Amino acid sequence: MIVEIVILAMIAAFLGMRLYSVLGRRAEHEEEIIPTNRFERGDEQSQPRQVAQPNVESPQTERTLAGFPPAVERGLREISTADRNFELLGFLEGAKGAYEVVLEAFWRGDKEELKELCDDDVYESFAAVIDEREEAGIRMDNRLIRVEDVTVYSAELDGKIARIAVRFVSDIASVSYDKDDNVVAGSLDDAVESRDIWTFSRDIRSDDPQWLLDETDQG
């Protein structure tokens, strides 16, 4: 029994490294980080929900774009000019909601919900880790305790494709179980700070207001 637990713990550690490889780490993100908004939620786990999407132009857009590093401000202004429905604070709230929903869908292995919120490459990466986890008989019971900070990290308009990278600082409690519900790694009593940079994209020519997650990094 002890040998089996050790083996399962090694498998859980391997899957943790696979998730890290999915999230990645990019050295080229060197923009100065300026906090734009801060969100918190209680300890109670939220239910999956529709991600909020901005659909009206805010008269405060000009004011909310001030104070960013020049490259970020320029990108946001280009997006705002090309898409008159873009509203920064609404986007950030939607991005925070997407972060919560995608993490929770990944932890419970809900590929259908992930496919709706991610582009093909990101979805395939998440799905591959879910498959490996299921084959190893590992079940995750992670909890997003709170999102401490939500920050615009970079922004650009590439032709008609708007891309905004958002940096999330959150506290996550993580635990893994084997097929017999024995704990093989982690604890729900200890939350660990996580720093993620997720990039969302949208074709501004589309009538669909949905932003898709098209890249994930840690940093």
Side-chain angles (χ1 to χ4, degrees):
M1 182 63 181
I2 295 178
V3 174
E4 291 180 356
I5 292 176
V6 171
I7 292 174
L8 286 170
M10 293 175 64
I11 293 173
F14 168 75
L15 291 175
M17 292 299 297
R18 284 282 292 116
L19 174 58
Y20 182 84
S21 69
V22 169
L23 296 175
R25 182 182 292 271
R26 294 201 327 186
E28 65 265 30
H29 287 303
E30 296 177 353
E31 295 283 0
E32 180 185 359
I33 301 172
I34 304 295
T36 300
N37 208 347
R38 183 179 179 88
F39 303 91
E40 288 190 0
R41 74 175 195 173
D43 291 346
E44 183 177 351
Q45 186 176 8
S46 66
Q47 297 298 318
R49 61 185 180 281
Q50 293 296 321
V51 177
Q53 296 296 333
N55 55 16
V56 294
E57 184 176 0
S58 168
Q60 297 182 341
T61 297
E62 182 71 19
R63 184 166 53 193
T64 58
L65 295 184
F68 286 100
V72 175
E73 182 178 346
R74 182 170 59 251
L76 290 173
R77 289 187 183 280
E78 289 175 355
I79 294 171
S80 180
T81 298
D83 181 2
R84 304 305 298 177
N85 289 329
F86 176 76
E87 197 274 315
L88 180 58
L89 296 182
F91 167 82
L92 285 173
E93 183 64 21
K96 174 176 175 285
Y99 178 73
E100 297 172 351
V101 171
V102 168
L103 283 181
E104 290 165 3
F106 171 73
W107 292 334
R108 67 175 179 271
D110 189 339
K111 294 182 184 178
E112 183 176 348
E113 187 157 25
L114 288 172
K115 196 171 185 63
E116 293 178 357
L117 296 173
C118 305
D119 76 353
D120 291 342
D121 290 340
V122 173
Y123 167 75
E124 289 173 4
S125 296
F126 279 131
V129 177
I130 290 172
D131 290 342
E132 291 177 4
R133 194 172 68 205
E134 291 177 348
E135 290 175 5
I138 299 295
R139 177 175 63 84
M140 300 180 72
D141 186 20
N142 293 9
R143 306 289 173 84
L144 179 60
I145 305 302
R146 64 181 59 84
V147 179
E148 294 283 359
D149 196 61
V150 181
T151 304
V152 175
Y153 192 80
S154 67
E156 66 172 350
L157 183 63
D158 182 8
K160 296 298 182 181
I161 305 298
R163 288 189 176 88
I164 302 178
V166 181
R167 186 170 186 259
F168 301 94
V169 179
S170 60
D171 294 328
I172 296 175
S174 176
V175 63
S176 299
Y177 299 90
D178 64 15
K179 58 182 176 58
D180 297 319
D181 285 336
N182 298 308
V183 175
V184 295
S187 170
L188 291 180
D189 295 329
D190 298 316
V192 177
E193 183 180 271
S194 178
R195 294 173 178 264
D196 301 296
I197 300 171
W198 286 15
T199 302
F200 299 89
S201 67
R202 177 178 176 270
D203 187 338
I204 61 174
R205 298 167 297 185
S206 174
D207 293 331
D208 185 354
Q210 177 84 3
W211 290 76
L212 292 178
L213 175 62
D214 76 0
E215 187 175 340
T216 61
D217 297 284
Q218 287 188 334

